[in-house]
């Protein structure tokens, strides 16, 4: 029996040493120490021994059991550590790997310029106002001294909504002059930026939808000098103190006298030519028209309930895209609306 127990010990320790997984270890524990295990089977034969042999064999059996249990614990610790090690390696996260970069958008270049212009006028006391793009012909034309039959009202230039031509997509932000003057008493000093629409083919300087910024100042003793100083002050802030600008006489039904303000073309520097070719940015003009302006027509003032004997005013309407093109040296207006990030990311 002693030999039997000794065999069990040697084989058990060898088997335990060879076990690699927690499952294999558990299987061995059951087969070695369990109720149906080998050791138990040997101990069941103890009754057949003589009273002298029994305590001696009992001691040997206990020692074998203790050895197996100790070995079990030892292997268990080693295998568990290995399992943990494997798990850690498999689930490892390298916290030092750089994350995926989140590319942030930024303000559209045209809105950057709009914000600059707004800031400049707000700094001079102007209030920003907003109004509808779907407008009444009354506001877009009639009350701006542009009677029916005037060429500006032509269906080939204007997007109308109704057969009687009474509702349209505003062709100019000048409609805001009327909306403001009908509702406020002088002194008035407002800036009204917004979209306008015309049936224009798109080219380097035209688009069927573009943005204007309307300005209107009405008070006592307002003169053309006030108009020029306000515009020159702002343009020099935007284009630099050495920017070249000019005022030209012009005609608008709702201002008298009227003028246009041009800026020297930033592409050809006024020559109208680039590398022997007609400059595509100014069509060879050498100048880029920035805005129309003038003194508010007395008929427009009185139509809005403002006494033209007491008050005078100036108004201007500038093209925002053209302002942005000049400021950011963009040579084709269509780029502003293409939303190509390769273009937008340059600003
Ligand atoms: N509304 C005119 C245009 O679109 C510009 C303008 C505005 C002219 C205000 C005079 C006064 O061309």
């Amino acid at each position: 029996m002693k030999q039997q127990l000794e065999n069990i010990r040697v084989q058990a320790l060898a088997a335990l040493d060879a076990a690699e997984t927690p499952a294999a270890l558990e299987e061995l524990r059951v087969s070695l120490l369990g109720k149906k295990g080998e050791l138990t089977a040997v101990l069941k034969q103890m009754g057949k021994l003589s009273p002298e042999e029994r305590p001696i064999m009992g001691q040997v059996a206990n020692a074998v059991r203790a050895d197996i249990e100790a070995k079990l614990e030892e292997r268990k610790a080693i295998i568990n550590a290995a399992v943990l090690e494997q798990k850690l390696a498999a689930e490892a996260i390298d916290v030092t790997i750089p994350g995926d970069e989140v590319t942030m958008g930024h303000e559209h270049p045209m809105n950057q310029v709009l914000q600059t212009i707004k800031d400049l006028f707000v700094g001079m006391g102007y209030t920003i106002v907003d109004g509808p793009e779907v407008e009444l012909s009354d506001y877009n034309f009639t009350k701006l001294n542009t009677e029916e039959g005037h060429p500006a009202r032509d269906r080939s230039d204007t997007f109308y909504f109704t057969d009687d031509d009474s509702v349209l997509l505003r062709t100019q932000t000048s409609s805001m002059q009327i909306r403001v003057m009908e509702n406020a008493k002088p002194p008035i000093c407002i800036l009204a930026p917004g979209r306008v629409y015309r049936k224009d083919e798109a080219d380097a300087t035209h688009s069927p939808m573009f943005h204007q910024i309307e300005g209107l100042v009405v008070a006592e003793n307002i003169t053309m000098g006030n108009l020029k100083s306000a515009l020159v002050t702002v343009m020099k802030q935007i284009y630099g103190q050495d920017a070249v600008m000019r005022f030209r006489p012009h005609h608008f039904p709702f201002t008298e006298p009227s003028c246009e303000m041009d800026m020297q073309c930033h592409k050809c520097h006024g020559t109208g030519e680039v590398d022997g070719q007609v400059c595509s940015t100014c069509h060879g003009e050498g100048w880029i028209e920035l805005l129309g302006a003038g003194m508010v027509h007395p008929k427009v003032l009185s139509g809005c309930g403002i006494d033209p004997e007491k008050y005078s005013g100036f108004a201007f309407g500038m093209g925002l895209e053209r302002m942005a093109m000049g400021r950011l040296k963009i040579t084709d207006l269509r780029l502003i609306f293409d939303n190509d990030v390769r273009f937008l990311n340059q600003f």
Side-chain angles (χ1 to χ4, degrees):
M1 184 176 261
K2 191 171 180 205
Q3 191 53 48
Q4 238 178 329
L5 285 169
E6 202 47 51
N7 285 346
I8 289 175
R9 182 217 298 268
V10 172
Q11 281 167 15
L13 296 188
L16 283 169
D17 267 332
E20 297 284 358
T21 64
L25 214 55
E26 177 61 12
E27 215 172 280
L28 281 171
R29 188 188 66 77
V30 172
S31 71
L32 292 170
L33 305 177
K35 277 190 192 138
K36 290 176 187 162
E38 293 173 51
L39 196 59
T40 314
V42 175
L43 292 177
K44 275 182 186 157
Q45 294 167 25
M46 291 279 261
K48 294 180 191 154
L49 294 176
S50 65
E52 302 84 60
E53 272 181 320
R54 228 177 274 164
I56 298 164
M57 279 309 135
Q59 256 182 12
V60 175
N62 279 339
V64 169
R65 172 179 271 275
D67 279 358
I68 292 174
E69 278 174 348
K71 192 69 178 174
L72 254 173
E73 284 309 309
E74 181 196 318
R75 288 301 293 158
K76 199 167 160 186
I78 292 172
I79 289 172
N80 281 349
V83 166
L84 182 66
E85 197 63 41
Q86 249 176 23
K87 203 172 163 194
L88 285 176
E91 292 176 5
I93 296 171
D94 183 350
V95 293
T96 67
I97 290 175
D100 288 338
E101 197 183 326
V102 180
T103 44
M104 297 288 278
H106 63 76
E107 202 172 33
H108 190 284
M110 193 190 69
N111 282 326
Q112 292 172 10
V113 174
L114 173 61
Q115 197 52 52
T116 306
I117 296 171
K118 280 187 188 161
D119 285 347
L120 288 167
F121 279 104
V122 166
M124 298 196 300
Y126 288 67
T127 302
I128 311 288
V129 295
D130 197 12
E133 291 168 31
V134 175
E135 184 56 283
L136 298 172
S137 289
D138 266 359
Y139 288 106
N140 194 84
F141 291 129
T142 315
K143 294 180 179 203
L144 285 165
N145 197 30
T146 311
E147 299 300 329
E148 275 184 44
H150 191 284
R153 301 180 71 137
D154 206 288
R155 290 198 137 230
S156 63
D157 296 332
T158 304
F159 295 101
Y160 286 102
F161 285 100
T162 53
D163 287 338
D164 65 357
D165 291 359
S166 61
V167 183
L168 45 69
L169 278 174
R170 68 179 176 191
T171 63
Q172 51 187 357
T173 44
S174 297
S175 53
M176 289 305 292
Q177 292 184 32
I178 308 299
R179 287 189 172 269
V180 168
M181 285 192 285
E182 279 191 348
N183 289 299
K185 300 235 164 318
I188 290 167
C189 192
I190 60 99
L191 198 73
R195 291 188 193 90
V196 300
Y197 302 84
R198 292 182 196 176
K199 287 189 183 172
D200 273 334
E201 291 288 334
D203 66 17
T205 50
H206 293 84
S207 155
M209 185 283 295
F210 59 102
H211 296 74
Q212 284 188 332
I213 304 175
E214 194 82 7
L216 174 71
V217 174
V218 182
E220 286 180 49
N221 303 318
I222 296 293
T223 69
M224 197 104 182
N226 298 133
L227 167 67
K228 286 185 77 172
S229 78
L231 290 176
V232 169
T233 303
V234 166
M235 295 302 169
K236 290 204 162 175
Q237 288 291 319
I238 294 172
Y239 297 114
Q241 292 302 314
D242 50 358
V244 182
M245 283 154 312
R246 72 174 183 188
F247 286 87
R248 272 180 297 111
H250 200 74
H251 171 78
F252 296 104
F254 42 92
T255 47
E256 182 59 35
S258 304
C259 63
E260 282 191 335
M261 185 183 192
D262 302 334
M263 184 191 54
Q264 199 172 72
C265 177
H266 54 88
K267 179 122 183 256
C268 64
H269 302 287
T271 62
E273 275 185 21
V274 177
D275 301 331
Q277 304 268 320
V278 175
C279 176
S280 58
T281 300
C282 65
H283 300 290
E285 296 285 322
W287 296 91
I288 296 174
E289 179 199 318
L290 288 182
L291 58 86
M295 301 305 293
V296 182
H297 198 293
K299 270 172 116 173
V300 175
L301 289 174
S302 56
C304 294
I306 294 173
D307 181 2
E309 297 295 328
K310 187 169 180 205
Y311 298 106
S312 56
F314 68 74
F316 58 84
M318 53 177 97
L320 174 58
E321 284 78 7
R322 291 186 184 185
M323 301 281 294
M325 288 171 75
R327 168 134 166 136
L328 304 173
K329 309 258 184 290
I330 297 167
T331 52
D332 194 315
L333 181 144
R334 288 164 290 192
L335 289 166
I336 295 176
F337 302 120
D338 280 349
N339 281 336
D340 185 331
V341 288
R342 290 168 301 180
F343 167 75
L344 298 174
N345 281 342
Q346 297 172 53
F347 304 100

